[in-house]
Amino acid sequence: MAEYYFRTRQMTVGYDGVPLIKDITIDIARGEIVTLIGPNGSGKSTILKSITRQLKTLGGEVFIASEELRKLSYKALSTKLAVVLTERMKPELMTCRDIVATGRYPYTGRLGILTEDDELKVEAAMAAVHVLELRNRDFNAISDGQRQRVLLARAICQEPEIIVLDEPTSFLDIRHKLQLLSLLRGMAREKGITVIMSLHEIDLAQKISDRIVCVKGDHVLSSGTPEEVFGEDAMRELYGIDQGYYDPMFGSIELPRPEGAPEALVLSACGTGIPVYRMLQKRGIPFAAGILYTNDVDYRLARLLAAEVVAERPFMPISDEALRKALAWVEACGQVIDAGVALGETNRRMGEVIDAAKRTGKYVSVEDFAKRQ
């Protein structure tokens, strides 16, 4: 068959015979991490439930290697594919270890008796996601985050070729988000396990995924590598963003800039302006920023948060035009905040801007600015 290990061909998914998303075609290689992103209610979970046969597909085909998914027996499917969904399980009188052990059932006999090797795999799976200390706890008596990790251990214990996860980081703190995603990346790279999941945190999706599928409404809006998919305009369209911004370089979201004419000019370089920008934004004070080289990290944020930015081309001496604009903002603004500018050969004319601010009595050091807040 083709080089792809998991494939959908014009798949249509929905509920009760009513199509929700049509013509879904996805190609995934073995060991790839593919993440579905999109607004709440866009159909990400429906797609995942359909490719795991929890929902019946309404059209098209799904293949694992050369085998059509719908023709596999549930026992055969469970040795190839493990699922971690968001629905709460409420098993009666089962410990966390009991839950993880169910991952070995596809490999046991009718009585479900685990061998010594099975027992070792249960322990190893729990250790991998740091839940060994929960082994004897009632599954219903632990936190949502702990429950999520136990279910992942069950999936690992199943030794699948594909793991499907629906919002696996939803209930996890930062530490456990990083542990989980690092574990998934290691499983994909070292064991060739294919990971298909949905995430709300698009910054995490951008960092961990080999491929991204953007789901919106009744169709897949786009798909490709993170570099191909993540862009300011693309994310604005996908999520319908009309306030604030998304910065694909840092995978961050930003609140809208303060409205109005600049009341302060911020002088900065190499990241020194970022905390000042955020402080002014929180207080609703519009500001100008400059003179910033367009490859400076400060420029990346200033272009989103500042009312005006005086910019210069990278590695070039500051031009007369850029200097004129900066000096004009010194005159127009009520204060000039020096967030920290190391003067060098190319940006030495920033010294003229600093001198002008001091002559007009508008100069404020970043230390004095911080004290006033």
Side-chain angles (χ1 to χ4, degrees), residues 82-85 89 98-104 125 129 149-160:
V83 185
V84 181
L85 299 182
M89 292 175 52
D98 294 335
I99 294 292
V100 177
T102 62
R104 297 306 303 164
V129 296
R149 287 187 285 142
V150 169
L151 293 177
L152 179 61
R154 181 185 66 170
I156 293 170
C157 192
Q158 201 170 320
E159 295 187 315

Side-chain angles (χ1 to χ4, degrees), residues 28-29 31-37 165 168-169 181-182 184-186 188-189 194-214 223-230 246:
I28 305 174
E32 278 193 321
I33 295 180
V34 176
T35 303
L36 278 59
I37 64 171
L165 308 101
T169 59
L181 294 178
S182 296
L184 292 177
R185 170 51 70 194
R189 183 175 58 247
T194 301
V195 178
I196 307 171
M197 63 181 169
S198 63
L199 286 178
H200 274 309
E201 302 99 324
I202 58 177
D203 57 327
L204 297 180
Q206 183 178 8
K207 293 175 176 67
I208 191 174
S209 306
D210 297 303
R211 290 172 51 79
I212 298 289
V213 178
C214 300
S223 64
T225 66
E227 293 74 22
E228 293 169 335
V229 167
F230 282 98
Y246 172 76

Side-chain angles (χ1 to χ4, degrees), residues 47-64:
I47 292 175
L48 296 182
K49 289 178 181 178
S50 298
I51 65 177
T52 57
R53 278 177 45 178
Q54 297 191 30
L55 285 176
K56 184 178 180 180
T57 56
L58 304 182
E61 298 173 313
V62 183
F63 294 92
I64 296 178

Side-chain angles (χ1 to χ4, degrees), residues 125-144:
M126 297 187 76
V129 296
H130 309 282
V131 292
L132 273 175
E133 72 279 5
L134 302 176
R135 57 161 70 85
N136 296 320
R137 295 274 302 276
D138 183 343
F139 181 75
N140 290 324
I142 60 176
S143 71
D144 288 334

